[in-house]
């Protein structure tokens, strides 16, 4: 998602107390930053932040970090925090490839990927957020029994993501090829911006939950 460059978004983000600047310095210290030992869950590629904002509002006993590479998009998430401030939600403006520089081993309890960019060209497969290259990065920051949840309406990306799971030494916990008709997996489901858009067009939503092979 790339919104037209909103002028001044970089400056606003640079001054925001809701965005952690130099996050490498927070590595291993996220509990201190939040001021609580509550579990930490992150969304990579959060877009405008509807999903993670609602998650954080519903679960005050969990700490959340929303990660987004574009300032113009992240700005929208900051605006939601002005309307409804939450003390358990922070943001990082960064490229997800560098995730292991920001979180210590086993520092994260759950990772969410929602409607990740498909990178349809084969030569860009390594850039896909559910690729085995990214799963190796997640492996380094996620708790032993931690989980990764991925939703998309892109069938090719979902099939690719499913293939990557065993290759990276992970296993499926739950899977749905039509989330919105799956009563069990829909329990507590929070719709993302893209999920609202694409499900209203009639697209089925795919979802998996995965963890490392024991
Ligand atoms: N999760 C949101 C947005 C999906 S669009 C939703 O479901 O509505 C994908 C978002 O991920 C875009 O905003 C894009 O800028 C961001 N993104 C993609 N690749 C990224 C990466 N490598 N690092 C950080 N953010 C990324």
């Amino acid at each position: 998602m790339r919104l037209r460059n909103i002028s001044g978004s970089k400056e606003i983000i640079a001054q925001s107390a809701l965005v952690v600047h130099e996050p490498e310095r927070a590595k291993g210290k996220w509990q201190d930053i939040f001021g609580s030992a509550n579990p930490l869950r992150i969304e990579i590629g959060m877009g405008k932040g509807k999903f993670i904002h609602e998650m954080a509002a519903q679960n005050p006993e969990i700490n959340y970090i929303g990660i987004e590479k574009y300032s113009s998009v992240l700005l929208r998430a900051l605006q939601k925090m002005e309307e409804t401030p939450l003390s358990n939600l922070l943001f990082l403006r960064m490229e997800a490839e560098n995730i292991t520089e920001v979180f210590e081993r086993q520092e994260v309890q759950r990772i969410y990927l929602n409607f990740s960019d498909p990178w349809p060209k084969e030569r860009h497969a390594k850039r896909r957020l559910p690729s085995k290259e990214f799963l190796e990065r997640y492996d380094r920051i996620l708790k032993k029994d931690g989980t990764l949840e991925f939703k998309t309406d892109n069938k090719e990306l979902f099939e690719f993501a499913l293939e990557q799971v065993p290759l990276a030494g992970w296993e499926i916990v739950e899977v749905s090829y039509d989330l919105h008709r799956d009563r069990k997996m829909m329990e507590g489901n929070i719709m993302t911006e893209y999920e609202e858009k694409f499900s209203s067009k009639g697209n089925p939503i795919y979802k998996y939950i995965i963890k490392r092979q024991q």
Side-chain angles (χ1 to χ4, degrees):
M1 179 191 297
R2 204 161 185 181
L3 302 179
R4 239 167 292 128
N5 238 341
I6 297 170
S7 72
S9 58
K10 281 214 172 96
E11 290 72 15
I12 295 169
I13 283 161
Q15 285 167 22
S16 172
L18 302 172
V19 180
V20 178
H21 311 284
E22 300 186 61
E24 302 79 14
R25 293 173 61 184
K27 183 173 180 174
K29 297 182 194 137
W30 286 103
Q31 294 189 347
D32 300 342
I33 304 233
F34 280 101
S36 88
N38 290 342
L40 179 60
R41 299 182 183 175
I42 67 175
E43 182 185 8
I44 304 178
M46 70 160 175
K48 298 181 202 163
K50 172 184 183 285
F51 171 85
I52 199 153
H53 193 274
E54 287 183 30
M55 278 293 203
Q58 281 186 16
N59 302 289
E61 73 298 345
I62 293 167
N63 293 328
Y64 292 88
I65 296 179
I67 298 172
E68 170 55 49
K69 67 178 168 186
Y70 289 121
S71 305
S72 51
V73 188
L74 175 53
L75 190 62
R76 304 304 181 101
L78 297 183
Q79 286 163 350
K80 288 191 182 73
M81 289 286 267
E82 273 170 29
E83 289 154 28
T84 316
L86 300 170
S87 60
N88 60 328
L89 174 57
L90 290 170
F91 302 103
L92 303 180
R93 197 200 58 73
M94 64 174 278
E95 164 53 55
E97 255 177 48
N98 305 321
I99 198 96
T100 57
E101 289 163 32
V102 168
F103 299 103
E104 192 51 86
R105 283 192 175 274
Q106 302 209 34
E107 200 168 15
V108 176
Q109 189 219 29
R110 186 173 299 169
I111 298 173
Y112 295 103
L113 304 178
N114 292 314
F115 297 80
S116 308
D117 295 349
W119 292 107
K121 289 185 182 138
E122 190 46 47
R123 69 190 155 90
H124 291 148
K126 283 183 188 165
R127 297 189 192 172
R128 299 173 192 155
L129 294 181
S131 66
K132 60 182 190 317
E133 287 80 8
F134 269 97
L135 291 177
E136 276 163 23
R137 296 186 179 103
Y138 307 148
D139 183 42
R140 282 155 64 187
I141 64 170
L142 199 61
K143 290 196 179 304
K144 276 205 182 83
D145 58 351
T147 50
L148 168 71
E149 303 197 2
F150 171 51
K151 292 195 274 193
T152 183
D153 71 319
N154 186 311
K155 194 163 195 275
E156 290 74 33
L157 181 65
F158 192 63
E159 281 169 356
F160 167 83
L162 285 171
E163 284 166 19
Q164 300 290 293
V165 173
L167 298 179
W170 294 57
E171 64 186 26
I172 306 274
V173 181
E174 278 181 85
V175 63
S176 173
Y177 294 85
D178 194 353
L179 174 64
H180 291 191
R181 290 203 173 81
D182 185 321
R183 194 181 294 173
K184 181 164 174 275
M185 280 188 91
M186 266 307 266
E187 253 172 55
N189 184 60
I190 291 181
M191 297 248 262
T192 78
E193 267 111 0
Y194 275 47
E195 185 171 356
E196 284 187 334
K197 186 170 149 189
F198 294 123
S199 66
S200 71
K201 286 186 184 168
N203 297 7
I205 305 300
Y206 310 105
K207 176 173 179 175
Y208 74 37
I209 302 174
I210 62 172
K211 62 177 173 131
R212 260 87 107 245
Q213 292 169 13
Q214 300 303 311

